[in-house]
Amino acid sequence: MRIASFNLESLDLPPKARVPLEARAEMLRPQLERLDADVLCLQEVNAQKIPGTGTRQLVALDALLAGTRYASYQRAVSTSGEAGGATDVHNLVTLSRLPIVEQRSLLHCYVKPPLHERVTARPPDAEPTPIRLDRPLLLTEIALADGRRLAVINVHLRAPLATAIPGQKEAPFVWKSVAGWAEGYYTASVKRALQALELRLAVDALLDEAPQRLVLVAGDLNAEDHETPLRLVIGAEEDTGNGRLAARALVLLDRAIPEDRRFSIVHYGRPQMFDHMLASRALLAHVQGIEVHNETLGDEALAYAKVAVAPGSYHAPLVLTLNLDGAGTGGGPTA
């Protein structure tokens, strides 16, 4: 069984998209086919308005997947907001060759928005404002042939980019004051950590139901190994200080990738691993290998300034190989 994760980077249609879908598909389809995935977790899938309807549909994704193995896969899509349904940008989509028996979008399901009184807002806040998460997590339960379920949590954490503060921006990327930028960056960091906490609590809820649950977290966590979001999600025993909790810790699977190959983006010449896969201890018994397809990665920061119409993605996909044949609860793979 192969499970893959890929940030498509704002897959959309013109006029909102600067690049025609045909040009993007020419670059992205070979990458998707190479993954040969039974389960595919996608991030940054934008949804388009359909004339005469009140909902958005994943028209661009349908066009991208046309003619590929994934066109016939079952599909789970993240929802958010009071109205539900797909949003205009940054939807999560999980595609599965195996049956999807349950799906849930998790947005402030385990953590309430904390209140923050912004100190640099102009005009000043009359009262503290809630720091709300921008997008949900997508939990998908997939039925395996032996009757068990594989819980896959598709993730896209907040990027470490400062959020807007009222009265503190001259332009989208130009701030009026260092203090305003600093508070915006602080707020973004809180959002990213808050998402990571909700993810950790969601994993704990699954393990509370059954300690030997097969759980996989996959996606763009916008953080490297040992940064706060990863530490929150992993819950390592060296952080909790309690060996009895070691079985609750998740395993960061991409640590198995050789260090010189361990990167999923390149930013100003610096290779970084922002995309990750993490497994529960029960699932770890069935892990056969993990790959990152980063051979064609360009530098996202330089490309933003120099490439007029970049058709691909500046994230590399990850693919995990599992052997679940004949495996019992928490047991290892059979020969």
Side-chain angles (χ1 to χ4, degrees), residues 79 102-106 110 137-141 206 209:
T79 60
E102 186 178 346
Q103 58 178 290
R104 285 183 284 158
S105 291
L106 308 177
Y110 297 98
L137 311 170
L138 178 60
L139 170 60
T140 305
E141 299 269 11
L206 291 170
E209 294 174 1

Side-chain angles (χ1 to χ4, degrees), residues 24-39:
R24 296 213 66 191
E26 189 176 6
M27 300 292 290
L28 294 173
R29 278 195 193 119
Q31 289 182 282
L32 294 172
E33 290 286 13
R34 180 188 178 193
L35 294 173
D36 190 23
D38 299 292
V39 177

Side-chain angles (χ1 to χ4, degrees), residues 104 110 200-210 213 248:
R104 285 183 284 158
Y110 297 98
R200 179 66 247 185
L201 294 176
V203 170
D204 276 354
L206 291 170
L207 297 179
D208 285 342
E209 294 174 1
R213 286 292 297 271
R248 287 295 186 111

Side-chain angles (χ1 to χ4, degrees), residues 59-242:
V59 180
L61 180 64
D62 290 338
L64 173 65
L65 299 181
T68 72
R69 75 191 71 205
Y70 308 110
S72 62
Y73 279 22
Q74 293 191 23
R75 179 182 297 185
V77 183
S78 61
T79 60
S80 59
E82 295 181 359
T87 59
D88 57 341
V89 298
H90 289 185
N91 294 288
L92 302 169
V93 178
T94 300
L95 306 169
S96 178
R97 179 181 60 80
L98 301 174
I100 294 175
V101 293
E102 186 178 346
Q103 58 178 290
R104 285 183 284 158
S105 291
L106 308 177
L107 185 66
H108 290 299
C109 292
Y110 297 98
V111 292
K112 294 181 179 179
L115 296 178
H116 172 57
E117 187 172 350
R118 293 174 292 200
V119 297
T120 64
R122 299 294 179 267
D125 288 336
E127 56 186 17
T129 60
I131 299 179
R132 299 187 182 278
L133 298 179
D134 301 310
R135 46 184 174 255
L137 311 170
L138 178 60
L139 170 60
T140 305
E141 299 269 11
I142 296 171
L144 302 178
D146 62 1
R148 290 177 301 151
R149 292 185 178 187
L150 171 64
V152 177
I153 307 179
N154 191 347
V155 179
H156 187 190
L157 299 192
R158 169 83 193 195
L161 297 173
T163 60
I165 301 295
Q168 285 291 342
K169 299 288 287 284
E170 292 182 1
F173 298 101
V174 182
W175 290 83
K176 291 182 178 179
S177 71
V178 174
W181 166 83
E183 186 166 27
Y185 192 83
Y186 160 81
T187 305
S189 299
V190 171
K191 287 187 176 186
R192 187 172 55 155
L194 196 65
Q195 267 187 296
L197 174 59
E198 180 144 82
L199 174 55
R200 179 66 247 185
L201 294 176
V203 170
D204 276 354
L206 291 170
L207 297 179
D208 285 342
E209 294 174 1
Q212 295 299 316
R213 286 292 297 271
L214 304 178
V215 181
L216 179 72
V217 173
D220 179 2
L221 277 77
N222 266 309
E224 293 194 275
D225 193 356
H226 300 296
E227 288 190 76
T228 296
L230 266 297
R231 291 180 67 176
L232 288 172
V233 177
I234 292 170
E237 59 184 292
E238 57 265 29
D239 283 327
T240 66
N242 188 344

